[in-house]
């Protein structure tokens, strides 16, 4: 069974929360189709992502979505966060979890928005992905364990 372990110290005020490295890019079929007509896509670049049980969908920084040239599927998505409505871009993309045995996801909906705190992470992993995992937190060991559902 695929699993990953993530250190997290909830008592350290400088620790932003349980974060995991991710790779976000266009789906392989989008890249192949684009390259066949001369478009260029940057290689995958790892970024930090916060596991966010409060987020219904996966969200990345707009800056990173632009860098990755993620295929935009909608301009007018709206999400509610921190007591306000935010207008977001909607994209189709793939997400992987390097240095783990966790299965990646291809052709998922990814929302992009301006991030106020990109210093620690540029992605929120929402319940659209989290629902595929069993996540436990061992407070004494300061360790979050992710296991894939069967």
């Amino acid at each position: 069974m695929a699993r990953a372990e993530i250190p997290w110290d909830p008592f350290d005020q400088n620790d932003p929360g349980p974060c995991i490295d991710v790779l976000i890019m266009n789906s392989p079929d989008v890249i192949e189709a684009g390259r066949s007509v001369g478009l260029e896509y940057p290689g995958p670049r790892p970024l930090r992502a916060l596991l966010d049980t409060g987020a219904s969908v996966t969200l990345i920084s707009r800056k990173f979505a632009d860098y990755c040239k993620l295929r935009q599927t909608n301009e007018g998505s709206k999400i509610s966060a921190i007591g306000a409505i935010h207008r977001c871009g909607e994209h189709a993309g793939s997400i992987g979890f390097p240095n783990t045995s966790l299965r990646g996801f291809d052709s998922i909906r990814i929302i992009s928005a301006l991030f106020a705190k990109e210093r620690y992470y540029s992605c929120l992993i929402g319940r659209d992905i989290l629902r595929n995992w069993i996540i436990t937190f061992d407070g004494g060991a300061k360790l979050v364990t992710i296991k894939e559902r069967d």
Side-chain angles (χ1 to χ4, degrees):
M1 177 184 291
R3 69 184 272 141
E5 293 182 339
I6 303 167
W8 175 40
D9 185 355
F11 303 106
D12 179 354
Q13 292 184 8
N14 294 317
D15 190 326
C19 290
I20 188 170
D21 289 330
V22 298
L23 291 174
I24 295 181
M25 61 187 156
N26 282 293
S27 299
D29 57 330
V30 170
I31 293 173
E32 184 179 326
R35 285 186 174 151
S36 72
V37 295
L39 298 177
E40 293 184 22
Y41 295 92
R45 191 177 104 196
L47 66 145
R48 299 290 290 163
L50 176 70
L51 303 181
D52 187 352
T53 59
S56 61
V57 296
T58 296
L59 180 84
I60 66 168
S61 76
R62 184 172 312 240
K63 185 188 307 184
F64 193 79
D66 291 344
Y67 166 81
C68 291
K69 298 182 182 177
L70 282 185
R71 186 174 70 102
Q72 190 158 338
T73 57
N74 187 352
E75 286 183 23
S77 294
K78 294 180 183 176
I79 60 169
S80 177
I82 313 172
I85 302 294
H86 303 273
R87 184 170 226 101
C88 304
E90 188 171 318
H91 310 268
S94 295
I95 186 167
F97 306 96
N99 306 316
T100 75
S101 58
L102 297 172
R103 174 179 61 85
F105 297 89
D106 194 21
S107 298
I108 65 167
R109 177 179 175 230
I110 300 172
I111 303 296
S112 68
L114 296 175
F115 268 49
K117 293 210 171 204
E118 285 188 70
R119 181 173 135 198
Y120 296 110
Y121 50 84
S122 297
C123 179
L124 300 176
I125 301 295
R127 294 187 307 265
D128 56 338
I129 291 177
L130 297 177
R131 70 179 175 216
N132 298 288
W133 296 341
I134 299 167
I135 303 171
T136 56
F137 173 56
D138 180 341
K142 300 177 182 172
L143 192 66
V144 174
T145 302
I146 302 169
K147 295 180 189 173
E148 287 185 351
R149 291 193 171 280
D150 293 331

